[in-house]
Amino acid sequence: MSLFSRHLDRAHAPVLYTALAIGIAALVNGCGAGYRPVVTPINPSGPAPQPTSYAVVVSSPAAGSPGIATIINYSGDTIMAQSPIGVGPVSFSLDQTGSTGYTYNSDGTVTNFPATKDLQQKNVTVTTLPSTAVPVNMFSPSAGLWMTDLAGNLVDVFTGSPETFKLSIPVAANPVMVIGPGVIAQRNYAITQGAVADGSVCNNAPTSAPPGEADAIEVASNTVSARIPLGMCPVYAVQSPDNRRLFVLNRGSDTVTVINSQNNTLNACTPFQNQNGQTVTCHPTLPLSTTAGLTGANVPAVAGPVYAEYNLATGQLIVADYDGGVIQVIDVSLDVFGNDSATFGTTFTIPVGKNPASVTVLYDGSRAYTADQSDQTVTVVNLSSHTVEKSVAVTGHPRTVVSTQNSLFGKVYVASPDSPYLTIIRTDQDIVDATVLVQGNIMDVRVSTQNAVSGNANNTSRKPGFGQPCYLPGATAAASYTSCTTLPTGP
């Protein structure tokens, strides 16, 4: 640096230092305003989010008039939307995604409607079935619709949007249900009851019925690949979420038939030792009553299983025994290799109210709730201690109970076929949170999700009769709740 430069720097240093100080002050203080710090807010942690869930109710105001679909939101217990659907709905299914509802109606039609708060009558579509069709129940996976049809002993397959008839698959006599994953490269099963005289036999005299059959239907080819024997009067079935096991409830035999869906056979195998040195035997049949060989406290002489739920959190099947007045909690867990675990089949039997027509289990597996049809109650069962916690009175004679849970508390929805009121129970205190009035007596109710993550687990409809509990207004004495008179066989 030259002598002149050093002299210039020394001469201007005070000025430069002053300018630098002014510049820093300007940056700190801003343009003519005081110091305003920029703070990133920290949101406080609050309660768990409410599940984005709806209760979807189908009701019937009067015979021969259109039914009503009602959408009720979880958080406010309020009606979000209502719309007329088909005339005289007799069965209702909500698909696996919880977004589309289907009803089979007494005028021989199938309605399709979006299960959202934006539901309007213009969104409802109608498909007319052949005049000879005698549908019993519907199965609605994530895509498509399957329906059992007594006319010709068929399973009818529907595709498209709205759903339109595609083809029929011949199966064994009296198909009453279809169950499975419903996707290509998998198989569904048609549950059939054999040559029963009419739809009331499996309600009034289930032990006199012939054995049923499960027909395996390959979804890719729509052909039957296996015919698997069942007990008397199979009325309902549950598929495990991993699609490895199918559990069929035989009301007449007081048993649960276990099908290995991977092998497409009864769940039978040669006893073997697992990696822990425990001897494992596959279980083709789970007995539910003393007549079938099960002993122990609380076991009824006649069970009469009619409904069940599979709980993923605990690997348990919870069965409602309508005739025995109990629920049974059955360990159906598998080991890491997909074989029955060492505890598979372990059963706890818990007395509940009279004639439990259905049962629901909270997503975390902590409690079960039963719809005690004759007692007009819901029984709350602790699944850890296997004890009854309380009984909650509800309106009407309940047939369906469903639940959702993903917040500080869950909710249980209870529907009675002789009441226009939907009873809603809060699960943190197990008290009635609200009763919502809809138009006409409730035919059925479903929830769009059980935990705001997974979809609807109960995507098969339940038509009264054929072993499913009935309530017939005007019938006399206990027959109104515990049995069916001769049912109509068609529209």
Side-chain angles (χ1 to χ4, degrees):
M1 180 180 291
S2 67
L3 179 62
F4 175 77
S5 298
R6 287 197 299 270
H7 174 75
L8 181 63
D9 288 344
R10 284 195 298 270
H12 289 276
V15 177
L16 292 174
Y17 293 153
T18 300
L20 180 60
I22 293 172
I24 293 174
L27 289 173
V28 172
N29 295 327
C31 299
Y35 173 63
R36 294 193 298 269
V38 177
V39 178
T40 302
I42 300 175
N43 295 322
S45 58
Q50 300 292 321
T52 304
S53 180
Y54 300 113
V56 185
V57 179
V58 171
S59 58
S60 184
S65 65
I68 302 293
T70 302
I71 311 297
I72 299 173
N73 72 325
Y74 171 92
S75 57
D77 296 336
T78 54
I79 293 176
M80 305 291 289
Q82 283 185 313
S83 174
I85 49 175
V87 173
V90 294
S91 64
F92 165 50
S93 176
L94 191 64
D95 73 352
Q96 280 181 341
T97 65
S99 60
T100 304
Y102 302 92
T103 63
Y104 166 62
N105 312 303
S106 58
D107 64 351
T109 61
V110 174
T111 51
N112 172 322
F113 62 90
T116 70
K117 61 182 178 60
D118 300 318
L119 170 65
Q120 299 179 44
Q121 187 171 1
K122 66 180 182 180
N123 306 131
V124 179
T125 59
V126 179
T127 298
T128 301
L129 300 177
S131 59
T132 57
V134 186
V136 178
N137 281 316
M138 299 176 294
F139 165 60
S140 51
S142 56
L145 177 69
W146 300 61
M147 179 180 292
T148 55
D149 188 349
L150 299 184
N153 298 318
L154 303 170
V155 169
D156 297 329
V157 182
F158 298 77
T159 59
S161 181
E163 304 293 346
T164 55
F165 175 78
K166 178 182 179 182
L167 56 85
S168 293
I169 305 168
V171 294
N174 286 303
V176 295
M177 181 178 181
V178 179
I179 186 69
V183 296
I184 300 297
Q186 297 285 346
R187 60 177 59 95
N188 296 332
Y189 288 88
I191 308 303
T192 67
Q193 292 185 341
V196 295
D198 60 54
S200 67
V201 169
C202 287
N203 294 77
N204 299 331
T207 58
S208 66
E213 177 179 296
D215 289 354
I217 301 173
E218 302 301 322
V219 177
S221 61
N222 292 312
T223 57
V224 174
S225 60
R227 300 182 182 275
I228 301 171
L230 302 173
M232 293 182 291
C233 283
V235 298
Y236 195 74
V238 176
Q239 180 86 56
S240 63
D242 60 10
N243 297 320
R244 293 180 175 183
R245 297 292 187 273
L246 180 72
F247 306 94
V248 184
L249 312 184
N250 305 303
R251 184 174 179 182
S253 301
D254 295 332
T255 58
V256 174
T257 298
V258 184
I259 295 174
N260 187 320
S261 305
Q262 292 176 297
N263 299 335
N264 204 18
T265 61
L266 283 175
N267 190 39
C269 65
T270 302
F272 65 95
Q273 286 193 333
N274 63 15
Q275 67 273 21
N276 297 322
Q278 299 166 312
T279 299
V280 176
T281 302
C282 294
H283 300 70
T285 305
L286 300 172
L288 298 181
S289 72
T290 53
T291 58
L294 186 66
T295 60
N298 304 323
V299 179
V302 177
V306 296
Y307 191 80
E309 280 194 4
Y310 183 103
N311 185 255
L312 183 62
T314 59
Q316 293 174 324
L317 186 73
I318 292 81
V319 181
D321 290 337
Y322 187 81
D323 302 317
V326 301
I327 64 167
Q328 291 177 317
V329 183
I330 307 172
D331 185 323
V332 290
S333 58
L334 306 179
D335 64 20
V336 294
F337 303 106
N339 300 310
D340 295 357
S341 70
T343 56
F344 192 103
T346 302
T347 303
F348 294 92
T349 304
I350 307 158
V352 291
K354 187 175 182 181
N355 299 128
S358 62
V359 63
T360 189
V361 186
L362 297 185
Y363 190 78
D364 62 8
S366 60
R367 275 165 293 164
Y369 297 76
T370 63
D372 307 322
Q373 195 168 59
S374 293
D375 286 348
Q376 297 183 262
T377 59
V378 168
T379 300
V380 184
V381 178
N382 186 310
L383 294 180
S384 296
S385 61
H386 304 113
T387 57
V388 171
E389 291 191 346
K390 68 187 304 184
S391 180
V392 181
V394 297
T395 304
H397 297 82
R399 179 175 181 265
T400 302
V401 58
V402 291
S403 62
T404 186
Q405 178 189 31
N406 191 44
S407 63
L408 294 178
F409 58 89
K411 288 185 179 178
V412 173
Y413 301 89
V414 189
S416 303
D418 58 334
S419 172
Y421 289 95
L422 180 73
T423 303
I424 305 174
I425 299 173
R426 282 178 53 139
T427 63
D428 57 339
Q429 302 176 54
D430 287 328
I431 59 174
V432 174
D433 184 49
T435 53
V436 178
L437 176 65
V438 299
Q439 297 182 42
N441 289 348
I442 299 175
M443 190 270 291
D444 215 343
V445 60
R446 287 288 184 261
V447 288
S448 61
T449 174
Q450 288 191 304
N451 71 332
V453 177
S454 64
N456 165 45
N458 305 305
N459 58 329
T460 300
S461 65
R462 293 194 306 148
K463 181 179 179 179
F466 305 93
Q468 279 297 324
C470 298
Y471 173 76
L472 304 176
T476 59
S480 299
Y481 317 123
T482 60
S483 65
C484 300
T485 59
T486 300
L487 298 171
T489 57

